[in-house]
Amino acid sequence: EVQLLESGGGWVQPGGSLRLSCAASGFTFSSFVMNWVRQAPGKGLEWVSGISGSGGSTYYGDSVKGRFTISRDNSKNTLYLQMNSLRAEDTALYYCAKSLTTRLRGGFGYWGQGTLVSVSS
Amino acid sequence: QSALTQPASVSGSPGQSITISCTGTSSDVGGYNYVSWYQQHPGKAPKLMIYEVSNRPSGVPNRFSGSKSGNTASLTISGLQAEDEADYYCLSYTSSSTLVFGGGTKLTVL
């Protein structure tokens, strides 16, 4: 059974940093693109970032490019999101999502339950 | 990258059919057959309902179907049931090697 368990969320002041983790199990982690998707309170879904199975290719949405860094450790079956220069508008529930295939384009077959990030002074 | 355009809300009675549209451009929806649809109930994680425009994952009822014409993709739910009441989002691959969601549609079953 595929399981994705996010952690690392919390409260941080504007300009601060936070690192999210997503522990994966139940599938060959290194074979799939992994993603972060966020949802601000009462708002819609926003794709944040994706990373290839090897970690050699990374992809970012315009709103986080240059501030967030996605990475993975295939030996630990864990996905990360390093978030720097955080802003109030980054406040959201952050989901880890497994792509359907080895490529970015196919959609997300599995989602975690999310970890909440709150940015405020 | 601007969000894809979805109607804010749609509604239908049990047993009826509804269609939710998702409009983009030739750089996303129109340019690739990589549109997927997600159902989200309040307080829950999204669930994949359709991938690659018209494919249904195992376990998704065949009441759910997807299609695309030009720059607009559509999700149709036939034989509406009370449990279909949820928010629905489309997602498309883009020419910039990114992904973009629609703004979401709230489905109300009357």
Side-chain angles (χ1 to χ4, degrees), chain A residues 39 47 59 62 105 107-108 112, chain B residues 1 34 38 40 45-46 97 99:
Chain A
Q39 186 168 34
W47 175 79
Y59 314 89
D62 289 344
R105 53 188 65 182
F108 310 138
Chain B
Q1 179 70 51
Y34 292 111
Y38 302 85
Q40 187 180 35
S97 295
L99 297 167

Side-chain angles (χ1 to χ4, degrees), chain A residues 68-79:
Chain A
F68 290 10
T69 302
I70 191 171
S71 63
R72 64 194 297 161
D73 184 337
N74 287 342
S75 69
K76 296 181 179 180
N77 287 356
T78 302
L79 174 72

Side-chain angles (χ1 to χ4, degrees), chain A residues 7-112:
Chain A
S7 61
W11 172 82
V12 62
Q13 291 185 324
S17 298
L18 213 54
R19 188 176 85 153
L20 306 183
S21 300
C22 171
S25 61
F27 64 101
T28 305
F29 183 69
S30 60
S31 293
F32 292 89
V33 168
M34 296 295 294
N35 303 266
W36 289 99
V37 175
R38 68 185 181 183
Q39 186 168 34
K43 302 298 185 182
L45 300 172
E46 180 186 10
W47 175 79
V48 172
S49 183
I51 186 169
S52 64
S54 67
S57 296
T58 56
Y59 314 89
Y60 297 94
D62 289 344
S63 63
V64 306
K65 200 175 299 182
R67 299 187 300 123
F68 290 10
T69 302
I70 191 171
S71 63
R72 64 194 297 161
D73 184 337
N74 287 342
S75 69
K76 296 181 179 180
N77 287 356
T78 302
L79 174 72
Y80 302 101
L81 185 68
Q82 177 66 43
M83 304 186 295
N84 298 332
S85 302
L86 282 161
R87 306 166 180 167
E89 53 264 38
D90 295 319
T91 294
L93 186 63
Y94 283 73
Y95 292 104
C96 168
K98 172 187 172 291
S99 284
L100 285 169
T101 70
T102 58
R103 311 191 72 173
L104 180 67
R105 53 188 65 182
F108 310 138
Y110 291 92
W111 299 65

